[in-house]
Amino acid sequence: MDDVSVSAPARLHLGFLDPGGRSGRRFGGIGLALEAPATRLVLSRATEGSVEGPESPRARAYLQLMEAALDLGSRHRMAIEATIPAHAGLGSGTQLALAVATALRTLHGLPADPDGDAARLGRGARSGVGSGFFSTGGLVVDGGKADSSLDSRDRPPPVVARLAFPPEWRVILVLHHGTAGLHGEAELAAFAALPPFPQEASAEICRLVLMQALPGIAERDLAAFGGAITTIQSMVGGHFAPAQGGVFTSPAVAQAMRHLAERGATGIGQSSWGPTGFAFAESVEAAEAMVAGVSEAIGDPALEIRIVAGRNSGAVVERLTRLADAH
C-alpha cells in the first residue's frame, strides 16, 4: 500500500501592485517561495478517518471539504509533521490547504488542480502567488483580479511572470513568535476601513516591478531588486500602517529591520500583515555578518532571525510504499 507525502514551501509576499483596483484589476502582487519553513504531511487510506499533528483542526477542515468535493468518503489518516507558522505572513493557510488537496488527489490518482482547489478551500481571494508557488516556486507576479471577478469563490488571480531566484542570494527572515498579523474578519475589516490607494502610487509600483525588480532578478543585480522592493514596501506599508499600528506590525521586528538596513541589507519589508519581516543579502556570508548580534541588541526572546534560500521548485509530492498491515 502507498502513503503520499507532500512538502509545501512558505512564501514571502513582497507587495501589492494595486490594492485599490483603480487600474481595473485589484490587488496583484509579487512574492517569493522559500526553502524554509515548510509544511509537511503524510496522507494514507484508513479504516477510520483521523488527523494528527500541528494545525490539525484547520487541516481536518480542509480534508473534509476536499473529500466532499471529490466524493471520496472520509477514510483517510493524515499525519502533519511540520507546518509554516500561522498568521505570520508566510502563507501558512494556503500552503496547508493545497498540501492537503494535492495529497488526497495523488492518493486517489486524480489530476492536480491547485488553482481550482485554492478556490474550493477559500484561498487566493486576493493573491495568486500562493498557488503559483505551490506549483513552481521562484519569484512570482500575479496580475490581480478583474473588477468583475472579485468573488472569493473565483479561481486565484493569474500568474503573469515567474523568474528563478538567484541561488547564491539569501533571505533574512525576522519572526516574532506570539505575535500574529491581521487575519480572518479583522483582515476584511481592515481592508474595508482603509482609504483608497492612490492611482499614481500603483502606477509607480508597477513600474518598479516591471522595470527594476524583475530585471534585477534576471541580471542578478541585488541593488536594483532590493531597492525596488524597499520602495514598494515603504509605499504599501505606509498605506496599511493605520490598520496594523505602523509600517511593521511588530515594534521588535521594526527595530531589527533598522539594524539590518544599517548593516547593508536591502529589500527591507514585511510579508503580508506580518509580523514577519524580511531583507536580502548577496550570500550566506554577507547575511551572517548582517544578523550577528542583532537579536542580542534587541533583547526580545520571542524574536527569531533565520537565514534561508529562495526556492525555485514547487511542492514535493512523493508516494511512500508501506506494508499492507502497517495500520
Side-chain angles (χ1 to χ4, degrees):
M1 297 178 68
D2 287 341
D3 297 345
V4 172
S5 169
V6 179
S7 175
R11 63 97 178 109
L12 292 178
H13 195 279
L14 304 179
F16 284 121
L17 305 185
D18 187 2
R22 294 189 178 187
S23 62
R25 302 191 69 90
R26 193 173 183 191
F27 299 117
I30 178 171
L32 173 68
L34 302 174
E35 278 291 347
T39 287
R40 296 190 303 276
L41 59 83
V42 177
L43 184 73
S44 58
R45 300 176 193 265
T47 54
E48 294 184 6
S50 66
V51 179
E52 302 172 353
E55 293 287 330
S56 56
R58 186 156 60 158
R60 183 180 296 108
Y62 291 144
L63 179 60
Q64 291 172 345
L65 286 169
M66 288 304 303
E67 288 171 337
L70 300 176
D71 194 22
L72 294 175
S74 59
R75 295 185 174 183
H76 300 98
R77 178 182 182 276
M78 182 183 297
I80 304 169
E81 298 176 347
T83 56
I84 298 162
H87 310 309
L90 295 171
S92 63
T94 296
Q95 298 309 298
L96 179 61
L98 293 178
V100 169
T102 299
L104 190 62
R105 286 179 173 275
T106 303
L107 187 68
H108 290 273
L110 299 174
D113 184 16
D115 284 351
D117 290 339
R120 292 179 187 96
L121 298 174
R123 314 304 305 182
R126 285 171 293 279
S127 173
V129 297
S131 58
F133 293 141
F134 190 86
S135 301
T136 69
L139 184 93
V140 169
V141 179
D142 82 73
K145 286 200 169 189
D147 289 340
S148 60
S149 64
L150 290 177
D151 193 304
S152 64
R153 293 170 296 181
D154 292 336
R155 297 172 79 87
V159 170
V160 296
R162 187 268 179 192
L163 292 173
F165 188 74
E168 68 274 16
W169 291 3
R170 287 296 180 268
V171 184
I172 301 170
L173 297 180
V174 182
L175 301 98
H176 197 186
H177 300 294
T179 302
L182 290 175
H183 57 279
E185 293 299 322
E187 179 185 15
L188 296 176
F191 273 115
L194 288 170
F197 194 74
Q199 187 171 10
E200 59 273 19
S202 175
E204 175 62 7
I205 290 172
C206 290
R207 184 193 71 80
L208 288 166
V209 170
L210 181 62
M211 301 304 293
Q212 217 170 310
L214 293 183
I217 289 287
E219 296 182 342
R220 299 193 175 188
D221 183 343
L222 180 59
F225 171 74
I229 297 303
T230 297
T231 302
I232 292 167
Q233 280 285 312
S234 177
M235 296 169 71
V236 175
H239 179 72
F240 287 102
Q244 61 187 20
V247 174
F248 291 90
T249 295
S250 162
V253 171
Q255 188 178 355
M257 303 317 294
R258 287 193 293 272
H259 279 282
L260 292 171
E262 291 169 358
R263 295 168 178 226
T266 189
I268 304 291
Q270 172 182 282
S271 185
S272 298
W273 292 102
T276 303
F278 62 81
F280 297 91
E282 62 184 4
S283 66
V284 172
E285 294 77 13
E288 289 174 344
M290 291 170 186
V291 306
V294 171
S295 293
E296 292 78 6
I298 295 170
D300 187 334
L303 199 72
E304 179 187 2
I305 300 179
R306 300 187 192 178
I307 298 171
V308 303
R311 178 162 167 166
N312 287 320
S313 58
V316 176
V317 183
E318 298 177 298
R319 281 190 174 273
L320 308 173
T321 301
R322 61 182 172 87
L323 298 177
D325 62 351
H327 290 286

